[in-house]
Amino acid sequence: MKDYIKHNEWKVIEEGFDPELNRISESIFSIGNGKMGQRANFEEKYSGDSLQGSYIAAIYYPDKTKVGWWKNGYPEYFAKVINSTNWIGINITIEGEELDLAKATVLSFRRELDMQKGLLSRHFIARLKSGKQVEVQSKRFLSIDDPEIGAVRYSVKAMNFSGEVNVTPYLDGDVINEDSNYGEKFWEEIEKTISGDEGYLTIETLKTKFHLCTGMKFNVSKTGSGQVKKINNSVKEKYIEGSVNCNVKQGEEIRVEKIVALVSSLNYNTGKLKSQAKKAIARASSMGFDKLLNRHQKKWAKKWETSDIRIEGDLAAQQGIRFNIFQLNQTYTGDDDRLNIGPKGFTGEKYGGVTYWDTESFCLPFYLSTAPQGVSKNFLLYRYKHLQKAIENAQKLGFKDGAALYPMVTVNGEECHNEWEITFEEIHRNGAIAYAVWNYINYTGDIGYLAPYGFEVLLGISRFWSQRVNWSEEKQSFVILGVTGPNEYENNVNNNFHTNNIAIWSLKYMLEVIDYMKEEHPYLYDELVKKWKFKEIEETGRWKEIIEKIYFPYDEARQLYLQQDGFLDKELIPASELAENEKPIYQYWSWDRILRSCYIKQADVLQSLFWFENSHSQEMLKRHFDFYEPLTVHESSLSACIHSILAAKIGYYEKAYEFYLRTARLDLDDYNNDSKDGLHITSMGGTWMAIVMGFGGLRVSNERLVFNPFLPDKWDSYSFRVDYKGAHLEVKMEGNKFIIKNRSEKDTPLIIWGAEMTAKANDELVVGNVKL
């Protein structure tokens, strides 16, 4: 754990420059706008340790899988949302000496991310080896108002010298991915042009043939007497620049404003790409940096209106939740159903920037409550549009008749994960997608989504479960063998509780959906039966038999569902007894030792109990939490949030707070020593859930919002905002009072601490907790 980020309610601040922390900061201070993102690399040259990263959503490269062996059904490639054109670059040379913080003496340094405004700033004073001192200030943003546009304002001040300063804005497409399996570069040049202060660079990905055109227009000015000299243009492979020499006197400042447009063949015909980039540059440069920034900030203000969480009395917790919300909002905007969320978003290369199963489980609830309904619908349509690929993925593994297995990792619907124990075995991901369909409909009331989108997805998933189970003569039950549950510290196990449970729930839900379709959309249902060759009586008969006769490993003595067969054969030593110098165990133990241990990476049985808590008593939830949590090492970013919510549910309020703080500051404090690889975007959705669903106790039941809130001892109050079926509610817990302001024209029925109430339109409801 590191503690160098200054606590501030709206800003993330780094004071002083430590090269050892630079990669971490490059991740933490990343910016994005839902369509692209940029790590917090320096504009000027930096020869020290750095991960240069600029990423465009859905533009990927199928990097051939690198393994020492091959098995039938194994993915042929690992898709990567790849590093693209370095658009922020502005090299500075002073009397022939490069400005490079790896070689200069840094006298002061401050990096600041203003989360309220979506603005990254930097200020430093550096002394070059020659003794010349410069003061540099920079600001940059990726417009959330115009998501093809990025802008940089960069100034250099001569503090103790007079002389010539060279300023060189550039675009560089000759970039690499550190995680390239075979060390190859993924881009080829198509075209480049530059004239004066405006230039365009078009590059193309190998294999996938995506085109990206990046345009720039810049202006160089200075204070004091005299003008800047003419622009000298030069080019090389995949690179263009405009170089300007300026004579400055001591105390004078040079300012560069650089407007950039990034347009791709994802949205335009390749033949029109350059003209579209020119249009984008024209409209953006006509507004200029300040107006672009103003419009950008107004859009951020609207996002914060619906998604902000305020905590009083705990600055670290306040900064943590806003950082998580900020990253979620700049990673996914939901206006394009071809896009989704990668585990690292736009902040790093690890996991390839592609979509995993945890997006539906941990991110969807945030967008359901804080964004227009269309955002969440597009989230689901992403999977619907990949249904045929999911069927093909299942076929590769031997399934048939329309069975669908959604990929563990994907960018286009095709499975591209390269670890067999996850690719073939973490099949609970199918259930997560089915659960997301239910979750969306339960929250929004948009049951029409089932006709046909939800129905078709659920049918493919149900057919998969029907074929994946097999009958055990010994147990006289259906079993699911050879799986890996959410706990990835167990591979190739039989009858993982969560997998079996989500499979059965999926089948039950599909039976309900069939009844709905037959009653409400009979003609469409008949068409879908023909389209998918659905043998209703035969197929549903098998589903009902599986539901009735599924096997769950259970310990009668402890009255516990077991994580999988044989779990009690393990030596059950609490994680608290692990030596500190052996944590995290994945960094110090062999995989063989981990697999034989009792230690749990993240919520597994508890994941199921969280999703289906209404099927279990409070006592049963507590019994399972008390057994499994002490064995959990929480070495997944997705672990603490689920434990926080369950701890709140069963009244373990101190533990709920402890787990919340861990998930909220996971990246800011680098808990797992991996923030340098990029941030944990999907777990940030879990952080939001920990407050709203944990401390606030928010659920949706029978078309009512349900709240069972409590206030952590260390907080004076907390408040959050929820959009629900046309109502906008501001919710606050302060002392023993729960306050709801309905900022809409619609009465909203609620259940608060078990009592039915109504938040009337444009009114305030105050409830005292008699239990406190």
Side-chain angles (χ1 to χ4, degrees):
M1 176 179 172
K2 299 173 182 65
D3 186 22
Y4 74 96
I5 298 298
K6 306 298 179 184
H7 292 181
N8 183 288
E9 64 175 349
W10 275 112
K11 296 178 179 180
V12 180
I13 301 167
E14 175 188 17
E15 290 184 345
F17 180 60
D18 182 347
E20 297 296 319
L21 301 174
N22 187 49
R23 281 206 185 207
I24 300 172
S25 294
E26 287 178 340
S27 298
I28 290 174
F29 291 85
S30 295
I31 56 173
N33 62 11
K35 300 295 176 65
M36 56 185 171
Q38 172 67 52
R39 283 173 61 85
N41 310 117
F42 299 159
E43 289 87 359
E44 74 278 355
K45 179 180 178 179
Y46 181 67
S47 60
D49 186 39
S50 172
L51 175 60
Q52 173 66 41
S54 175
Y55 310 101
I56 310 295
I59 292 185
Y60 70 96
Y61 178 81
D63 204 8
K64 184 173 174 57
T65 300
K66 192 172 186 178
V67 292
W69 43 263
W70 201 268
K71 300 292 183 185
N72 286 338
Y74 204 87
E76 295 183 359
Y77 67 89
F78 188 86
K80 294 171 179 175
V81 177
I82 54 178
N83 192 7
S84 64
T85 302
N86 176 7
W87 60 271
I88 64 172
I90 303 173
N91 284 337
I92 305 295
T93 304
I94 299 159
E95 294 282 294
E97 188 175 8
E98 284 184 325
L99 174 59
D100 180 348
L101 292 191
K103 299 176 180 178
T105 300
V106 181
L107 302 177
S108 69
F109 182 94
R110 180 183 174 94
R111 184 162 22 192
E112 177 182 296
L113 178 63
D114 188 327
M115 299 180 287
Q116 194 170 22
K117 299 177 179 178
L119 180 65
L120 175 63
S121 304
R122 189 164 54 105
H123 174 270
F124 67 85
I125 297 174
R127 183 174 61 240
L128 306 184
K129 289 183 178 180
S130 63
K132 296 181 178 66
Q133 291 186 21
V134 293
E135 180 180 11
V136 172
Q137 297 188 67
S138 72
K139 294 182 179 181
R140 74 170 179 251
F141 63 95
L142 278 168
S143 175
I144 209 162
D145 175 66
D146 187 343
E148 293 178 340
I149 300 300
V152 181
R153 174 178 282 166
Y154 188 95
S155 66
V156 184
K157 183 177 182 179
M159 297 187 70
N160 66 347
F161 69 93
S162 299
E164 186 175 78
V165 176
N166 177 269
V167 179
T168 305
Y170 65 87
L171 299 177
D172 185 7
D174 192 23
V175 293
I176 62 170
N177 269 56
E178 282 194 351
D179 65 349
S180 171
N181 283 344
Y182 296 91
E184 63 182 325
K185 295 180 178 180
F186 301 144
W187 295 96
E188 290 185 325
E189 180 183 303
I190 297 297
E191 180 186 8
K192 58 178 179 273
T193 59
I194 185 166
S195 177
D197 61 357
E198 186 172 347
Y200 297 86
L201 173 67
T202 304
I203 53 179
E204 176 190 56
T205 57
L206 300 173
K207 296 183 181 179
T208 45
K209 302 301 180 183
F210 289 108
H211 284 215
L212 173 68
C213 181
T214 306
M216 71 170 176
K217 188 176 179 64
F218 61 88
N219 177 64
V220 180
S221 61
K222 81 178 188 70
T223 60
S225 60
Q227 300 298 316
V228 299
K229 296 183 180 180
K230 70 174 185 177
I231 301 170
N232 295 307
N233 298 134
S234 63
V235 301
K236 56 184 178 181
E237 185 182 5
K238 293 180 275 191
Y239 178 94
I240 61 175
E241 70 176 28
S243 180
V244 180
N245 290 321
C246 307
N247 290 316
V248 297
K249 296 178 181 179
Q250 182 176 341
E252 290 185 340
E253 180 180 87
I254 300 169
R255 174 186 283 188
V256 186
E257 289 191 359
K258 182 180 180 183
I259 305 296
V260 175
L262 297 98
V263 299
S264 77
S265 57
L266 196 69
N267 301 308
Y268 302 107
N269 182 283
T270 55
K272 297 180 179 179
L273 212 54
K274 184 177 176 181
S275 64
Q276 291 295 334
K278 284 187 172 184
K279 287 180 181 179
I281 285 291
R283 71 171 178 265
S285 59
S286 68
M287 284 189 283
F289 186 94
D290 289 323
K291 191 172 181 179
L292 286 169
L293 178 59
N294 181 260
R295 294 177 63 157
H296 168 73
Q297 290 174 352
K298 285 181 178 179
K299 279 291 181 70
W300 266 111
K302 288 183 178 180
K303 286 189 175 293
W304 285 114
E305 280 179 9
T306 58
S307 61
D308 188 27
I309 292 179
R310 179 156 183 78
I311 298 170
E312 296 179 331
D314 190 337
L315 194 55
Q318 175 68 87
Q319 184 185 47
I321 188 58
R322 281 188 172 141
F323 181 70
N324 284 251
I325 293 169
F326 174 76
Q327 293 295 343
L328 286 165
N329 276 327
Q330 72 170 4
T331 301
Y332 183 74
T333 56
D335 56 359
D336 188 337
D337 60 25
R338 297 171 299 173
L339 307 182
N340 207 279
I341 297 172
K344 298 295 183 184
F346 299 117
T347 70
E349 294 178 8
K350 192 172 182 182
Y351 304 125
V354 290
T355 300
Y356 278 61
W357 72 276
D358 37 329
T359 56
E360 280 82 7
S361 303
F362 294 86
C363 295
L364 178 60
F366 170 78
Y367 298 105
L368 281 172
S369 291
T370 67
Q373 183 175 318
V375 170
S376 299
K377 187 171 183 178
N378 278 343
F379 208 83
L380 268 64
L381 286 172
Y382 176 84
R383 296 294 192 180
Y384 171 75
K385 291 191 171 184
H386 289 172
L387 176 58
Q388 191 56 47
K389 286 286 188 182
I391 292 171
E392 293 171 12
N393 293 334
Q395 289 172 342
K396 292 175 183 177
L397 301 184
F399 297 89
K400 56 186 180 180
D401 299 329
L405 176 59
Y406 277 90
M408 185 67 188
V409 173
T410 194
V411 68
N412 66 354
E414 189 173 20
E415 178 63 76
C416 60
H417 198 275
N418 58 2
E419 296 176 26
W420 68 269
E421 69 275 14
I422 293 175
T423 304
F424 300 150
E425 297 190 344
E426 277 203 46
I427 55 175
H428 61 85
R429 61 191 187 252
N430 246 19
I433 291 166
Y435 185 84
V437 173
W438 172 86
N439 201 9
Y440 168 78
I441 293 170
N442 182 55
Y443 193 93
T444 65
D446 182 16
I447 196 168
Y449 181 79
L450 292 171
Y453 307 125
F455 175 88
E456 294 185 285
V457 168
L458 293 166
L459 177 61
I461 289 172
S462 297
R463 285 173 160 176
F464 172 82
W465 290 125
S466 180
Q467 295 176 40
R468 186 59 172 78
V469 305
N470 65 272
W471 178 255
S472 167
E473 284 293 333
E474 179 189 0
K475 291 182 170 62
Q476 287 295 294
S477 300
F478 286 100
V479 295
I480 303 181
L481 309 178
V483 303
T484 296
N487 172 28
E488 293 173 345
Y489 287 175
E490 290 275 14
N491 299 154
N492 200 30
V493 301
N494 296 332
N495 296 308
N496 170 260
F497 172 78
H498 176 66
T499 305
N500 288 20
N501 197 32
I502 195 66
I504 296 310
W505 177 87
S506 299
L507 294 175
K508 288 179 180 178
Y509 183 44
M510 184 58 189
L511 292 174
E512 295 176 11
V513 170
I514 290 171
D515 290 341
Y516 162 78
M517 291 291 293
K518 291 168 71 174
E519 182 175 344
E520 299 294 331
H521 302 277
Y523 297 112
L524 176 59
Y525 177 72
D526 289 343
E527 291 177 9
L528 293 171
V529 166
K530 294 176 183 176
K531 175 182 177 180
W532 293 103
K533 299 179 182 178
F534 179 41
K535 301 174 183 178
E536 182 185 339
I537 295 177
E538 177 184 331
E539 294 189 58
T540 59
R542 177 168 170 82
W543 299 348
K544 291 173 183 177
E545 185 181 14
I546 293 169
I547 291 167
E548 180 183 351
K549 298 178 180 179
I550 193 67
Y551 168 76
F552 291 109
Y554 189 78
D555 178 48
E556 291 288 351
R558 293 179 174 85
Q559 292 187 293
L560 290 172
Y561 287 108
L562 300 179
Q563 186 172 273
Q564 71 269 336
D565 286 348
F567 187 80
L568 292 180
D569 291 337
K570 295 174 176 288
E571 191 174 10
L572 303 180
I573 302 173
S576 60
E577 296 185 22
L578 284 168
E580 287 300 317
N581 62 2
E582 294 186 3
K583 297 186 211 175
I585 61 174
Y586 75 88
Q587 291 184 2
Y588 295 99
W589 285 18
S590 69
W591 196 243
D592 168 71
R593 186 180 180 188
I594 289 174
L595 293 178
R596 289 185 288 107
S597 78
C598 67
Y599 299 119
I600 301 169
K601 184 181 180 185
Q602 69 188 78
D604 194 305
V605 173
L606 297 184
Q607 178 74 46
S608 261
L609 298 187
F610 161 61
W611 273 351
F612 307 115
E613 60 185 17
N614 290 338
S615 301
H616 308 291
S617 68
Q618 188 86 338
E619 179 186 353
M620 186 267 199
L621 295 174
K622 183 176 181 296
R623 189 162 59 245
H624 282 76
F625 188 94
D626 290 345
F627 179 76
Y628 283 108
E629 193 283 320
L631 302 177
T632 305
V633 289
H634 302 291
E635 291 177 7
S636 163
S637 65
L638 303 173
S639 187
C641 54
I642 299 300
H643 285 82
S644 179
I645 298 167
L646 280 174
K649 171 77 175 177
I650 61 180
Y652 289 177
Y653 298 141
E654 289 187 12
K655 272 192 172 293
Y657 174 80
E658 172 191 329
F659 284 126
Y660 161 75
L661 201 59
R662 178 184 178 113
T663 185
R665 298 195 63 86
L666 178 71
D667 290 308
L668 286 174
D669 293 339
D670 195 24
Y671 267 87
N672 291 342
N673 295 316
D674 60 0
S675 294
K676 65 181 184 295
D677 300 323
L679 307 178
H680 298 84
I681 304 300
T682 44
S683 79
M684 291 176 173
T687 304
W688 179 90
M689 290 163 58
I691 289 185
V692 176
M693 302 180 72
F695 302 164
L698 174 66
R699 304 291 191 275
V700 175
S701 179
N702 297 321
E703 299 186 1
R704 287 176 179 260
L705 288 179
V706 178
F707 295 96
N708 287 288
F710 78 94
L711 182 67
D713 290 339
K714 296 184 179 181
W715 295 0
D716 298 327
S717 71
Y718 64 85
S719 58
F720 57 85
R721 302 167 186 199
V722 174
D723 283 341
Y724 180 67
K725 294 185 178 179
H728 180 69
L729 306 179
E730 295 180 6
V731 176
K732 185 173 185 178
M733 184 69 191
E734 184 175 28
N736 67 346
K737 291 182 179 179
F738 189 59
I739 305 162
I740 295 183
K741 295 180 181 178
N742 188 346
R743 302 290 193 186
S744 68
E745 304 293 331
K746 181 179 180 181
D747 290 354
T748 304
L750 309 170
I751 299 176
I752 302 174
W753 289 310
E756 294 187 3
M757 302 179 186
T758 299
K760 295 189 178 297
N762 298 306
D763 202 358
E764 179 177 286
L765 176 66
V766 181
V767 185
N769 183 1
V770 296
K771 296 189 293 183
L772 290 180

